[in-house]
Amino acid sequence: MSGKDMALAFDYQKIDQAYLDDPFPTYASLREHDPVHQNPDGTYFLTRYEDVVLAMRHPAMSSDKTVDFKPRFGDGPLYTHHTTSLVFNDDPYHSRVRKLMSEAFTPRKMAELDPIIDQIVDGLLDRLGGEGEFDVLRDFALALPTEIIADMLGVPEEHRHKMHNYSTLILGALDPIVSDEKMQAGHDAVEEFGALLEELIAKRREQPTGAEMGEVLASLIFGEVEGERLSPVELVQNCIFLLNAGHETTANLVANGVGILLDFPDQMDRLREDPSLIKTAVEEFLRFQSPLQVGNRKALEEIEMGPEGRKVLIPAGTFLHTCIGAANRDPEIFDDPETVDIGRKPNPQIAFGIGKHICMGNTLGRIEGHTAIGKFVKKFPKLRLNGEKRFHGRARFRGLAQLPVAVN
Ligand code: HEM
């Protein structure tokens, strides 16, 4: 089949293992031959940078999933969770929750987290120092964001080991194809983590001040916007969302970054010779293997998308898949997009989204990425791959299932 025929026949509901392992050739062929591609179910798949940005910025694009998630999740806990999370809502609810949460993400609060992140990374690296072989994802990348979010929510030590699993199960249920078992596991994870948060919230209400940790939790419990507080359900579901939003994405940034450096040894050498490149390097890792590959919006009004001369009129009510992973490799915006350049400038990558819903944790994610990858590379000068580097194979997220390495 020619590239054009493949692009025209693409069906996001029927993606296969080859796509999950490496979606980038498919993105490239869609972007070239059918950039505003209609799937057989009527939804559109956008792969050009300009169109993805337009969809995320346009005021007539909705993030509300109340209607779309009903047939998929029924009335179960996953439905309550996703339709109450700020990311899947429009105004006025979205702005209200975002304002309350932003209290915990001010530049001052982020600066306070800097030494804590340093300390957590140093502790993890010390533990790994004695090992000749380990897995970058399991033994390093996943631990850091879990610790940070657990601190923000005030989750006690003994419950922290369960958090990764909760988030994987809840997010796994968002994939285009999900088995009945996976769906049930997602519902159960919302219920279990929700019950734990309810307990923490009840304790925090009894003790409104005095605790050092749990800043986000406190902002959400006690914060008011125009005299209104979040309801108990809104409170719990947005705390769950915070774990989902900030945990796997950041772990993927860290492990993907190390994986990219192993694939491109010239770039590893460059970073070792000039560690000050870590900031542009992290932007490049975010562009090249964006942790969130595919987002979505619904057009509330008719809208034109696509390149000049090949515009497509999208009717009101249409569901759009916004492919960030493809936009970040668009040759109209990035020179040599399939090449890794850790000093790339400018680099207008949109891995954190853009517009009203732009990632609230983007500064935090970046700090975690700089610290974790920078220190890791410095600590292990003899780092090498020690087995198969394998992606986990979930369409919306780009992340590794394993990255086995040896360090001596
Ligand atoms: C490398 C790490 C991360 C990536 C790639 C990432 C990516 C994204 C993207 C693409 C969106 C926008 C979704 C949309 O427009 O529909 C988003 C939203 C969000 N992210 Fe992140 N994220 C990361 C880390 C974090 C962290 C560490 C936190 C907090 C602990 C966080 C919290 C949020 C929140 C609360 C939203 C919703 C914002 C809204 O709807 O207004 N993220 N993230």
Side-chain angles (χ1 to χ4, degrees), residues 396-407:
R396 281 170 45 80
F397 301 91
R398 185 79 179 150
L400 290 160
Q402 58 174 49
L403 182 58
V405 292
V407 295

Side-chain angles (χ1 to χ4, degrees), residues 140-150 243 246-248 250-251 254 368:
F140 180 64
L142 279 169
L144 171 66
T146 313
E147 284 299 306
I148 296 287
I149 295 165
L243 169 70
H247 160 253
E248 191 176 341
T250 311
V254 173
E368 292 185 70

Side-chain angles (χ1 to χ4, degrees), residues 264-322:
F264 296 86
D266 59 321
Q267 300 297 308
M268 177 80 94
D269 293 344
R270 224 177 134 193
L271 185 59
R272 289 215 161 101
E273 276 158 29
D274 182 0
S276 74
L277 284 174
I278 190 64
K279 289 200 173 161
T280 47
V282 163
E283 297 306 299
E284 184 68 342
F285 303 149
L286 285 162
R287 180 191 75 79
F288 196 69
Q289 300 277 2
S290 309
L292 186 70
Q293 288 280 305
V294 184
N296 45 62
R297 292 291 186 270
K298 191 184 214 168
L300 297 180
E301 290 170 7
E302 181 179 88
I303 186 166
E304 264 197 346
M305 291 213 169
E308 274 318 310
R310 284 196 289 158
K311 293 268 183 216
V312 174
L313 190 63
I314 295 175
T318 305
F319 192 84
L320 307 171
H321 303 278
T322 49

Side-chain angles (χ1 to χ4, degrees), residues 84 93-98 100-101 205 216-217 219-225 227-239:
T84 316
Y93 178 72
H94 168 256
S95 289
R96 186 157 68 91
V97 180
R98 189 160 173 125
L100 291 171
M101 268 196 186
R205 279 195 207 281
V216 172
L217 193 66
S219 302
L220 291 175
I221 296 176
F222 302 112
E224 289 185 4
V225 172
E228 262 189 81
R229 284 188 179 177
L230 293 182
S231 74
V233 174
E234 293 167 352
L235 186 54
V236 166
Q237 299 307 331
N238 282 289
C239 288

